[in-house]
Amino acid sequence: MTGRDPRKAFGAAVHRVARENDDVVAISVDSGLSSGLGGMKDEFPERYIEVGIMEQAATGLAAGLATAGRIPVLCAIAPFVTARNFEMFRNDVGYMRQNVKIVGRNAGLSYSPLGPTHHSLEDCALARLIPGIAVITPADCGEIEDAVAAMIAHEGPVYLRLGAGTVPDLYETGSFRWGRGRTLSRGDDLTVISSGHITAEVIDAVLALQKQGIDVEHLALSMVEPLDHDLVVEAARRTRRVVTVEEHYVRGGLGGAVAELLAERCPVPLQVMGAPHRFISSGPYRDVIEGCGLDAQSIADRAAEFVRATAPVTTHG
Amino acid sequence: MNTIDVTAAEDIELRILATRARRNVLRMLDAGGSGHLGGAYSCIDIVTALYARVLRHDPANPGWTGRDRFLLSAGHKALAQYAVLALFDYFPAEVLDTYGAFGTVLPGHPDMKKLPGVEANTGALGHGTAIAAGMAMAARTSVESWRTFVLLGDGELAEGSNWEAFAMAAHHRLGNLTAIIDVNGLQISGEAEQIMGMEPIAEKMRAFGWVVQEIDGHDYRQILDALGRARVDTSAPTAIVAHTVKGEGLGRLAGTVGSHYWTPSREELGEAFIELDRRLVSLGRERVA
């Protein structure tokens, strides 16, 4: 599998849409160049607004620009544009319903060596709590490119969640559909739902499960809000058990969204896999992922155990 | 220099208008039972002057893209803006009587999606200046070029987000942005300087790169002179530090912390109406004389 850097894919995609749409402006909080926006800065310096390290004012600025028809794209390390500025995100962008695109990069544990200040394990939950915010969680760079085009075309506030490092290419570019998930494999024993850049890891876990004879339906959701209700409920009804996997806390993100949906429409056993709800020790990315049980082998082992534990009791007579 | 002259006759007209606006505030309190009167009355002369003499605006077309923008960073002073918008026919005066009711277009803090003329959903302090900076920045690259005015309170200055926005506006040389700081010296728990000293406000704003004017925020000549000077497009944003009296306009409330959020008895409200009505009669006599 070939792989690319999400930040470069994102920056180049914004640059492309900016060529077609004069209203697109990038706001940098000393973060634009490391978000891949150097090309945009060079070609359109008047549409590349640097404000330094001030995420609160940057968010208000974005809302103000949007009231006059601009389409601001504010990208930085995920916790600083979701948690640090949360009230501005909630009020100035959400409550004012402004056409602002907030982009959290290095989301999840991709800044694993830098520790909990730079981990972003609640950004999905925070964005999802704000009424009217669409939350896009692309799994690969092609999907990031599609998501950038879609979020600019969408009139309304968006949170786009990006990973980092080298993300394998999984999908055909151009196949992203707003609010719609993807079915990566069909099966009747277990539904596994993933979103975001950890999906590549989950694909490997699903292969391992299938080798064990567990028939897995794998759904990859490109958006957590709006969630693809029909896709999730249909699979849950058929497989009668669901596992969710995300590089996010086990509270409030994809797992939380799926739990809320299934509790109402199809209550079945559900296992939410993600980072445990505590401040995670720093360390090399692979070590931290394994420590959280989010590597392919751990995901497969836990899912297999979940299938055994939830198997219907058979009577022999 | 681009100041705005105020003749004696115009001064009386503005004072009549502002007294009618203060009366509109009482009308909303009559409907809702309570409200943030103190800060509304400390800034209402400035808000009246803005709509009467400064802002390019069209009540019949509040969404006109070329309009000047005026927003409250201190969103709890919304009663002042509602009162003045009603005077300028942004909405029928009867709507004032819905204040405090479920689903009113006049919520305790302003909502741009509910009431034409409102530019931002403020009320959480320390948000307005950054939003205003965005509006001002957009004006620089728009065909229609508008000015943006944002009104803050002095107690609000303790919010650090303001200072991010002040630095940003100066760095980006937003000469089309004016911040009016309503320094009434009082906030909910007492004297602003005792709670969190932010003085010298004017010096701080100068140090942040703003052009600063200090005025008496109840004197129309000074208000309009300062707003006129701010209109001169400079390379720096303008801060007007307006010294005001909280609750100004009602004898028993002026200068009191208790005016911040006033829950009057029927008698107190009745007396307040009488006081303002007498004031209108007396101003009417001055106008004739």
Side-chain angles (χ1 to χ4, degrees), chain A residues 46 49-51 53-65 67-68 70 84 87-88 91-92 95-98, chain B residues 69 110-113 119-121 124-127 130-131 133-135 137-138 141-142 146 161 164-165 167-168 172:
Chain A
E46 73 290 353
I49 303 161
E50 178 62 71
V51 299
I53 306 166
M54 49 167 72
E55 294 83 6
Q56 298 177 78
T59 309
L61 177 83
L65 285 161
T67 64
R70 303 301 183 277
R84 175 63 170 254
E87 195 185 66
M88 286 69 185
N91 293 3
D92 307 352
Y95 179 32
M96 283 172 57
R97 300 197 273 295
Q98 292 304 310
Chain B
R69 270 67 164 173
D111 184 339
M112 64 189 288
K113 302 292 185 185
E119 302 283 0
N121 297 2
L125 297 173
H127 287 240
I131 298 169
M135 295 170 176
M137 200 178 279
T141 52
S142 295
W146 59 86
S161 52
E164 289 188 3
M168 179 172 73
H172 283 279

Side-chain angles (χ1 to χ4, degrees), chain B residues 26 29-30 33 250 252-253 262-278:
Chain B
L26 291 186
L29 258 60
D30 191 17
L250 286 176
R252 60 183 295 172
L253 286 180
W262 195 39
T263 309
S265 66
R266 302 311 302 171
E267 293 73 28
E268 287 171 323
L269 195 61
E271 286 165 17
F273 270 115
I274 289 168
E275 186 175 345
L276 293 186
D277 286 342
R278 282 188 180 145

Side-chain angles (χ1 to χ4, degrees), chain A residues 189-275:
Chain A
D189 295 335
L190 170 71
T191 299
V192 173
I193 306 173
S194 62
S195 77
H197 51 276
I198 203 165
T199 291
E201 198 79 26
V202 178
I203 287 172
D204 291 342
V206 168
L207 285 173
L209 287 165
Q210 282 162 339
K211 277 184 191 153
Q212 296 173 43
I214 299 172
D215 199 17
V216 178
E217 176 103 352
H218 183 189
L219 308 180
L221 302 190
S222 311
M223 298 182 71
V224 174
E225 178 64 42
L227 194 72
D228 192 339
H229 286 191
D230 292 344
L231 187 73
V232 171
V233 170
E234 189 281 323
R237 282 197 178 125
R238 198 155 32 74
T239 65
R240 306 309 300 171
R241 52 174 86 81
V242 175
V243 166
T244 61
V245 191
E246 64 199 301
E247 202 175 303
H248 186 277
Y249 277 137
V250 289
R251 296 186 183 180
L254 170 72
V258 169
E260 289 159 17
L261 172 68
L262 294 183
E264 202 168 286
R265 288 187 50 189
C266 181
V268 295
L270 169 69
Q271 183 170 35
V272 176
M273 294 188 196

Side-chain angles (χ1 to χ4, degrees), chain A residues 74-143:
Chain A
L74 168 59
C75 178
I77 300 172
F80 308 139
V81 287
T82 53
R84 175 63 170 254
N85 63 335
F86 180 69
E87 195 185 66
M88 286 69 185
F89 196 169
R90 171 186 182 269
N91 293 3
D92 307 352
V93 176
Y95 179 32
M96 283 172 57
R97 300 197 273 295
Q98 292 304 310
N99 194 16
V100 171
K101 318 302 172 183
I102 306 267
V103 184
R105 64 171 166 87
N106 296 83
L109 291 159
S110 56
Y111 270 138
S112 61
L114 304 185
T117 56
H118 284 56
H119 296 167
S120 192
L121 298 169
E122 63 286 273
D123 56 311
C124 240
L126 289 170
R128 199 169 76 79
L129 273 176
I130 303 170
I133 306 284
V135 180
I136 314 180
T137 51
D140 74 353
C141 287
E143 194 164 53

